[in-house]
């Protein structure tokens, strides 16, 4: 049939969400159009039927694309066509990807693409949430193996009340934004930010989201039972049991030696040596490992060693509470901190926790430093932003840098959200602030190290943040019945574990949170224990940071731009700017400063010399409000006339010193007393109804006649 449309609907947090299938993109393995309040997102899924030769990982790609026509807008720039994904699109693609990935069967190695396209956009419907809902729906009704269904949502809190999937305008009033993905029974993913909200209240928001998700999952189960296709069969590429039996019998002692090495790089070299030993054994007797001569022994050796280390490390933790390097379950690695390490940078710090090290640098400036983002929601300017770099040398890899990856964007966004909550308001701090976090070495949670380093660098720069911020990553090992939560996980504990749960905040509450898992979900007991254990670890780290710096620098460093502000009436903005910008350009040239004016009449003067800034502001005040009678100024002579001298009390504000106001004696020739360019102290005697100034030099100090040459 040309059109076999089916539509399912649900009241989701007070808004009707519809899921339609059978009308669009019918050649995809799964296709749905998800709609809510004028926003419509088409989500398709396709998975290859053959595995590429040598494929040894699950190649899942999630794409999220915002079509500008969906909001009746043109694309900015010259090309006028959607190009590479924006940062926000990439971040949302990651948000959709993370809860889906663990729900594909182990060993599924087929190329799989989830494509989400925003076709219609309204401020009243959250396209990002609809894309996540659609990804679950498309996979659920397709023949692709998928252990769903799941649901997604965002939770805000407006006026103390939790709101599911707030409208665009409501977010400005919310003190938290938490994205949740979950199945009917367990939580799969959490990410968000909060304005220093206690752990208990963040948990309430997560559970509120999960309770609503359960209703959507019921709808998905109905769709699957009514129109879902039978799932295709596949042969798992996971390590075979013959291989693992051989690995346990012949290579357990070698694996034990590897896992007992504390130093990360030494441990990695030992693991590589063990893989080489296993590869040689496989090539000599492949049948003993359940392999054939046609198999890739290098890849099989990696798979076997990885699985053996997985079993061993997890067994040590569950049975003996024994971690790599002998740390306790709640123990944070040794911390070293340093501030002001870069001489000519506005603010800098170095945070080292074990073998993870992050350097942060802060740059302070004016409006020209703001970050612009053009999207279907409109053009936005950010006065605060954070960039995160993860160079290959940080993990000892010999390869070049090839641009910014999705992982770097995600980690930078998490760190930015963590710090954003403590940044001062524009009224308190009119500057644009950029932070760059450079990962110097990494062995577990460089993003949380970035939060700590960024917080310290801001204080070193003199930015008046409300509180220091720290972050920590938690891990999990579970066999389905028992579980252990690990504080401050290593890279290997992340790789071989079941969870990466990052929590950042101040001593009083959470500012950012991100949870990813590799199993099919977490119970509320695990989530609660993890978040409480994270709080204890965060408080410890804040204490270590405070040993180096705990409050902002009293003054900016030399050379750091300073901003002085003055408010002028809105109807005077044009006068200050002048025809064609002539007046404001002259101000900037005369004082060597940058002058910015907002639509509300707030004038910001940016420069490095405080005295010059104050003089410029005084000049602006005079130009707008005029001088007061009785005020005294240091003026500059600009023109000599027979009847007196015209002087500038500031650039652009002139007045006349009549011959009778120069000296106590009778002046016949003004040029005998003054020359162009001379400085003279004058007092404002009168401002007539035309705004002309009558000035007196003798009222301050009579000008003396120049000596004959």
């Amino acid at each position: 049939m040309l059109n076999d449309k089916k539509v399912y609907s649900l009241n989701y947090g007070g808004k009707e969400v519809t899921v339609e299938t059978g009308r669009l993109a019918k050649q995809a393995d799964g296709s749905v159009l998800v709609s809510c309040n004028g926003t419509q997102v088409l989500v398709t899924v396709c998975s290859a039927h053959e595995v590429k030769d040598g494929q040894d990982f699950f190649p899942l790609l999630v794409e999220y694309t915002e079509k500008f026509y969906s909001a009746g807008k043109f694309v900015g720039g010259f090309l006028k066509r959607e190009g590479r994904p924006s940062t926000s699109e990439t971040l949302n693609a990651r948000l959709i990807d993370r809860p889906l990935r663990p729900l594909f069967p182990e060993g599924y190695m087929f190329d799989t693409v989830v494509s989400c396209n925003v076709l219609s956009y309204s401020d009243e419907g959250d396209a990002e949430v609809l894309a996540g809902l659609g990804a679950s729906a498309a996979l659920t009704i397709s023949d692709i193996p998928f252990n769903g269904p799941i649901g997604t949502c965002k939770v805000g809190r407006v006026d103390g009340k939790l709101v599911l999937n707030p409208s665009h305008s409501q977010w400005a009033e919310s003190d938290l934004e938490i994205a949740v993905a979950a199945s009917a029974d367990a939580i799969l993913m959490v990410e968000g930010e909060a304005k220093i909200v206690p752990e208990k209240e963040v948990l309430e928001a997560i559970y509120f989201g999960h309770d609503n998700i359960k209703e959507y999952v019921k709808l998905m189960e109905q769709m699957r039972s009514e129109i879902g296709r039978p799932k295709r069969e596949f042969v798992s590429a996971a390590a075979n049991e013959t291989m693992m039996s051989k690995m346990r019998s012949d290579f357990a002692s070698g694996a034990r030696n590897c896992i007992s090495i504390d130093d990360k790089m030494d441990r990695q070299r030992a693991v590589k040596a063990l893989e080489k030993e296993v590869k040689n054994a496989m090539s000599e007797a492949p049948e003993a490992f359940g392999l054939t001569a046609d198999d890739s022994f290098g890849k099989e050796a990696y798979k076997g060693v990885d699985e053996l280390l997985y079993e061993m490390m997890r067994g040590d933790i569950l049975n003996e509470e024994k971690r790599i390097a002998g740390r306790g379950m709640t123990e944070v690695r040794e911390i070293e901190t340093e501030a002001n390490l870069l001489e000519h940078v506005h603010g800098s710090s170095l945070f080292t926790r074990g073998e993870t090290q992050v350097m942060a640098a802060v740059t302070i400036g004016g409006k020209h430093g703001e970050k612009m983002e053009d999207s279907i929601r409109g053009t936005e300017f950010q006065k605060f932003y954070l960039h995160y770099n993860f160079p290959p040398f940080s993990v000892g890899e010999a390869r070049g840098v090839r641009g910014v990856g999705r992982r770097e964007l995600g980690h930078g966004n998490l760190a930015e959200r963590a710090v954003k909550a403590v940044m001062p308001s524009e009224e308190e701090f009119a500057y644009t602030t950029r932070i760059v976090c450079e990962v110097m070495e990494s062995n577990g949670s460089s993003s949380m190290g970035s939060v700590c380093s960024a917080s310290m660098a801001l204080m070193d720069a003199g930015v008046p943040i409300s509180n220091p911020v720290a972050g920590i990553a938690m891990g999990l090992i579970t066999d389905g019945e028992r579980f252990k939560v690990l504080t401050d996980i290593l890279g290997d504990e992340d790789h071989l574990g079941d969870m990466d749960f990052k929590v950042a905040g101040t001593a009083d509450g959470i500012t950012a949170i991100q949870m990813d898992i590799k199993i099919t979900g977490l119970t509320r007991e695990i989530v609660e224990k993890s978040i409480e254990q994270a709080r204890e670890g965060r408080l410890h780290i804040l204490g270590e940071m405070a040993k180096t710096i705990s409050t902002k620098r009293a003054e900016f460093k030399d050379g750091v731009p300073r901003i002085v502000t003055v408010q002028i009436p809105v109807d005077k903005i044009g006068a200050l700017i002048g025809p064609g910008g002539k007046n404001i350009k002259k101000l900037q040239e005369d004082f060597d400063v940058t002058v910015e004016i907002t639509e509300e009449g707030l004038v910001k003067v940016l420069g490095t010399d405080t005295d010059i800034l104050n003089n410029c502001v005084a000049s602006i005040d005079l130009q707008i409000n005029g001088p007061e009678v009785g005020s005294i100024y240091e003026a500059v002579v600009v023109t000599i006339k027979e009847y007196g001298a015209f002087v500038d009390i500031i650039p652009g504000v002139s007045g006349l010193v009549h011959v009778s106001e120069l000296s106590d004696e009778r002046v016949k020739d003004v040029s005998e007393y003054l020359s162009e360019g001379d400085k003279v102290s004058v007092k404002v005697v009168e401002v007539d109804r035309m705004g002309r100034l009558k000035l007196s030099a003798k009222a301050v100090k009579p000008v003396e006649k120049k000596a004959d040459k």
Side-chain angles (χ1 to χ4, degrees), residues 314-461:
R314 296 167 67 86
D316 287 349
I317 291 173
L318 284 173
N319 299 324
E320 306 174 38
E321 293 196 348
K322 179 181 177 183
R323 296 175 69 178
I324 296 173
R327 271 194 300 152
M329 297 293 104
T330 62
E331 184 179 350
V332 179
R333 288 169 289 174
E334 185 179 358
I335 292 172
E336 294 181 0
T337 57
E338 184 178 346
N340 193 28
L341 71 155
L342 301 178
E343 295 180 6
H344 292 289
V345 174
H346 298 172
S348 61
S349 73
L350 187 67
F351 177 86
T352 307
R353 185 191 59 241
E355 295 166 307
T356 295
Q357 184 181 72
V358 183
M359 182 185 73
V362 170
T363 305
I364 296 171
K367 186 176 179 62
H368 71 280
E370 291 181 359
K371 184 174 77 171
M372 185 188 80
E373 182 170 348
D374 192 22
S375 73
I376 60 176
R377 288 165 295 281
T379 302
E380 299 176 347
F381 293 88
Q382 287 182 251
K383 295 186 65 63
F384 166 70
Y385 51 98
L386 183 151
H387 291 145
Y388 165 99
N389 295 317
F390 191 90
F393 66 73
S394 67
V395 287
E397 293 182 359
R399 58 181 177 87
V401 176
R402 296 293 182 267
V404 180
R406 290 162 67 109
R407 179 181 178 277
E408 287 176 292
L409 292 177
H411 281 32
N413 179 64
L414 179 62
E416 179 180 303
R417 288 177 134 188
V419 177
K420 183 172 66 174
V422 300
M423 289 295 292
S425 65
E426 184 173 358
E427 291 74 23
E428 183 183 359
F429 192 73
Y431 301 83
T432 298
T433 307
R434 180 196 184 207
I435 306 174
V436 178
C437 293
E438 306 278 5
V439 180
M440 296 292 149
E441 57 175 313
S442 177
N443 185 16
S445 195
S446 55
S447 64
M448 294 295 95
S450 297
V451 173
C452 302
S453 192
S455 174
M456 296 171 63
L458 285 168
M459 289 186 284
D460 181 56

Side-chain angles (χ1 to χ4, degrees), residues 97-272:
D97 178 304
R98 285 163 25 213
L100 297 179
R101 192 172 290 271
L103 297 180
F104 287 86
E106 183 180 1
Y108 190 76
M109 303 292 179
F110 299 81
D111 279 299
T112 303
V113 177
V114 178
S115 180
C116 311
N117 291 279
V118 182
L119 305 184
S120 176
Y121 175 75
S122 162
D123 284 345
E124 298 302 311
D126 194 320
E128 298 175 355
V129 171
L130 298 186
L133 295 174
S136 170
L139 284 165
T140 297
I141 64 174
S142 75
D143 67 339
I144 302 170
F146 177 68
N147 297 323
I150 65 171
T152 62
C153 71
K154 289 182 185 176
V155 180
R157 189 170 66 173
V158 180
D159 297 328
K161 182 180 179 181
L162 294 174
V163 181
L164 192 76
N165 303 325
S167 63
H168 185 68
S169 59
Q170 286 179 300
W171 282 122
E173 307 300 322
S174 178
D175 64 350
L176 58 80
E177 178 185 344
I178 306 292
V180 182
S183 65
D185 304 318
I187 297 167
L188 293 160
M189 186 277 298
V190 175
E191 176 163 323
E193 62 185 79
K195 297 177 181 177
I196 313 180
V197 175
E199 279 77 2
K200 180 182 177 182
E201 295 173 25
V202 172
L203 283 170
E204 289 174 356
I206 294 171
Y207 295 159
F208 173 79
H210 186 200
D211 289 339
N212 280 276
I213 284 171
K214 292 176 182 180
E215 297 304 312
Y216 181 78
V217 171
K218 289 179 183 178
L219 182 68
M220 292 298 97
E221 290 170 343
Q222 179 187 346
M223 286 186 67
R224 179 172 59 186
S225 65
E226 294 179 2
I227 62 173
R229 297 163 58 189
K231 298 299 183 184
R232 67 181 74 164
E233 295 182 358
F234 78 100
V235 177
S236 173
N240 66 67
E241 189 50 43
T242 302
M243 177 197 294
M244 292 315 303
S245 178
K246 182 71 170 174
M247 292 294 300
R248 295 183 194 102
S249 63
D250 292 8
F251 299 99
S253 61
R256 172 58 62 193
N257 290 336
C258 292
I259 213 167
S260 64
I261 298 173
D262 292 352
D263 183 81
K264 172 192 171 182
M265 301 308 292
D266 290 343
R267 186 167 61 253
Q268 286 186 349
R269 283 188 281 268
V271 170
K272 290 296 182 185

Side-chain angles (χ1 to χ4, degrees), residues 562-678:
R562 287 158 170 78
I563 292 178
V564 177
T565 63
V566 59
Q567 186 72 44
I568 66 172
V570 174
D571 60 1
K572 298 288 187 180
I573 293 176
L576 180 59
I577 295 174
K582 179 180 178 181
N583 195 40
I584 197 169
K585 288 177 183 176
K586 191 173 191 314
L587 275 172
Q588 294 180 120
E589 291 171 359
D590 289 344
F591 290 98
D592 191 21
V593 296
T594 300
V595 180
E596 302 167 357
I597 309 173
T598 69
E599 294 179 355
E600 296 75 27
L602 181 65
V603 182
K604 304 176 185 178
V605 185
L606 179 72
T608 57
D609 188 301
T610 302
D611 290 338
I612 291 176
L613 289 174
N614 290 333
N615 290 338
C616 182
V617 168
S619 176
I620 291 171
D621 181 66
L622 277 175
Q623 289 187 33
I624 297 302
N625 300 313
E628 294 183 5
V629 174
S631 299
I632 296 174
Y633 299 96
E634 186 75 10
V636 177
V637 178
V638 292
T639 307
I640 301 293
K641 299 291 184 181
E642 293 180 0
Y643 50 83
F646 284 97
V647 300
D648 279 355
I649 59 174
I650 58 165
V653 180
S654 301
L656 174 66
V657 181
H658 192 266
V659 288
S660 62
E661 296 293 338
L662 276 177
S663 177
D664 288 335
E665 59 188 27
R666 187 170 183 274
V667 177
K668 296 181 179 180
D669 185 355
V670 176
S671 60
E672 292 181 346
Y673 291 80
L674 292 173
S675 302
E676 291 183 4
D678 284 352

Side-chain angles (χ1 to χ4, degrees), residues 509-584:
I510 291 174
T511 58
I513 187 169
Q514 184 184 88
M515 185 193 76
D516 293 316
I517 63 171
K518 301 171 188 175
I519 53 179
T520 55
L522 299 182
T523 64
R524 295 191 176 188
E525 179 187 7
I526 294 175
V527 174
E528 289 170 8
K529 181 171 177 57
S530 300
I531 208 166
E532 175 55 29
Q533 204 163 302
R535 187 185 71 84
E536 295 170 358
R538 183 174 80 246
L539 293 176
H540 168 75
I541 295 172
L542 285 168
E544 293 299 304
M545 291 163 54
K547 294 177 181 178
T548 296
I549 188 169
S550 60
T551 188
K552 77 176 185 72
R553 179 187 290 272
E555 296 288 341
F556 285 165
K557 300 177 185 177
D558 291 340
V560 177
R562 287 158 170 78
I563 292 178
V564 177
T565 63
V566 59
Q567 186 72 44
I568 66 172
V570 174
D571 60 1
K572 298 288 187 180
I573 293 176
L576 180 59
I577 295 174
K582 179 180 178 181
N583 195 40
I584 197 169

